[in-house]
């Protein structure tokens, strides 16, 4: 199947700093990518929809100024957690939609804010 | 709005026994339906999908699922479970009319007894 890659897989940052997570579709072009957050032993919570060449659409309750999303090309979307706090520590997963509407997920990125 | 219910939070099954995971959805039109599997600390892997056509779909790793419109269900089955099938399973529903955003069920954790 199609491959979606996330980087880094694990990152530790200090409180107050910013951290960027990349999501790449390796063998298809993705006009739409999605960013999720997953708390331990819970399901995935959609944070935002990332559209190539336009602004991301955020779900209700998600701070767009804190979670900056950029989708500059058809194969890359980035999520930047700005001014990170310990409560932002979580597992972040991206997904990408291919040309036949199948959605593939990345491996996820563990963020720990200390 | 679309919603997904996975009634079983945990299921324990003996190795070699059959497995069925339940999924019920709510959506006004015919949605896209997916089953994903997640191993601890990892991303989601697509098992199978239903968009249209034959209501019994075959997936990877010996899994299959049946779409039943009258019951709004998309249950996942495997005839003979292997120890490596122990994981968290998520049912998800999406629709082009909803921007292809996926709505996830709460997940079912499968434990496999030797």
């Amino acid at each position: 199947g199609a491959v979606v890659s996330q980087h880094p897989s694990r990152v530790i940052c200090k409180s107050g700093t910013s951290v960027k997570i990349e999501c790449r579709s390796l063998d298809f072009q993705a006009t739409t990518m999605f960013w999720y957050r997953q708390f331990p032993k819970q399901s995935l919570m959609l944070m935002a929809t990332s559209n190539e060449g336009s602004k991301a659409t955020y779900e209700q309750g998600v701070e767009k100024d804190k979670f900056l999303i950029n989708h500059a090309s058809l194969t890359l979307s980035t999520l930047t957690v700005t001014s990170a706090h310990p409560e932002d520590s979580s597992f972040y997963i991206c997904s990408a939609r291919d040309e036949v509407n199948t959605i593939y997920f990345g491996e996820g990125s563990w963020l720990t804010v200390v | 709005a679309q919603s997904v219910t996975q009634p079983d939070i945990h299921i324990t099954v003996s190795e070699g026994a059959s497995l069925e995971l339940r999924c019920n959805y709510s959506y006004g039109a015919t949605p896209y339906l997916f089953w994903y599997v997640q191993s601890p600390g990892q991303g989601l892997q697509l098992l199978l999908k239903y968009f249209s056509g034959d209501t019994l779909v075959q997936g990877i790793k010996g899994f299959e699922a049946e779409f039943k419109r009258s019951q709004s269900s998309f249950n996942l089955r495997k005839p003979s479970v292997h120890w490596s099938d122990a994981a968290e399973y998520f049912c998800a529903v999406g629709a082009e009319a909803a921007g292809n955003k996926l709505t996830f069920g709460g997940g079912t954790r499968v434990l496999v007894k030797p």
Side-chain angles (χ1 to χ4, degrees):
Chain A
V3 178
V4 176
S5 177
Q6 271 184 252
H7 178 80
S9 58
R10 292 182 180 273
V11 58
I12 300 173
C13 71
K14 291 185 177 180
S15 187
T17 63
S18 297
V19 60
K20 180 186 289 186
I21 301 170
E22 293 185 347
C23 178
R24 295 181 184 273
S25 57
L26 297 186
D27 51 2
F28 65 96
Q29 294 185 329
T31 55
T32 305
M33 292 184 172
F34 304 90
W35 286 96
Y36 293 84
R37 185 173 180 176
Q38 186 179 31
F39 292 100
K41 299 185 179 180
Q42 294 189 26
S43 189
L44 283 75
M45 181 190 76
L46 178 65
M47 298 174 66
T49 302
S50 171
N51 299 297
E52 188 268 336
S54 64
K55 291 183 179 180
T57 304
Y58 290 82
E59 295 300 300
Q60 192 171 11
V62 178
E63 299 175 60
K64 63 180 181 181
D65 294 330
K66 180 169 186 60
F67 298 100
L68 300 179
I69 291 172
N70 183 277
H71 194 154
S73 78
L74 286 171
T75 59
L76 175 64
S77 175
T78 60
L79 168 68
T80 301
V81 182
T82 63
S83 187
H85 290 282
E87 57 264 31
D88 298 325
S89 299
S90 190
F91 189 54
Y92 293 89
I93 310 178
C94 73
S95 67
R97 178 173 65 95
D98 70 8
E99 60 274 11
V100 292
N101 290 329
T102 302
I103 296 174
Y104 297 93
F105 283 80
E107 313 97 321
S109 299
W110 286 99
L111 170 63
T112 302
V113 184
V114 298
Chain B
Q2 52 205 45
S3 67
V4 182
T5 301
Q6 292 179 245
D8 304 303
I9 297 174
H10 292 100
I11 285 183
T12 300
V13 61
S14 297
E15 191 167 15
S18 63
L19 174 69
E20 181 167 12
L21 304 183
R22 294 184 291 166
C23 173
N24 294 98
Y25 70 91
S26 173
Y27 187 65
T30 300
Y32 303 150
L33 295 160
F34 303 83
W35 274 100
Y36 292 90
V37 60
Q38 184 180 35
S39 296
Q42 298 187 23
L44 277 69
Q45 181 181 25
L46 178 66
L47 286 176
L48 46 79
K49 63 186 180 185
Y50 172 79
F51 285 2
S52 65
D54 193 347
T55 56
L56 182 64
V57 293
Q58 303 296 322
I60 63 171
K61 303 184 178 185
F63 284 94
E64 67 177 25
E66 186 172 11
F67 170 61
K68 293 185 176 179
R69 183 189 303 275
S70 61
Q71 298 177 19
S72 297
S73 69
F74 189 56
N75 295 347
L76 181 72
R77 298 192 293 257
K78 184 169 183 176
S80 177
V81 169
H82 187 262
W83 65 266
S84 60
D85 294 322
E88 186 91 20
Y89 291 80
F90 291 99
C91 179
V93 60
E96 195 159 357
N100 292 296
K101 293 190 293 186
L102 290 184
T103 298
F104 282 86
T108 299
R109 180 166 296 278
V110 173
L111 303 175
V112 180
K113 295 190 301 184

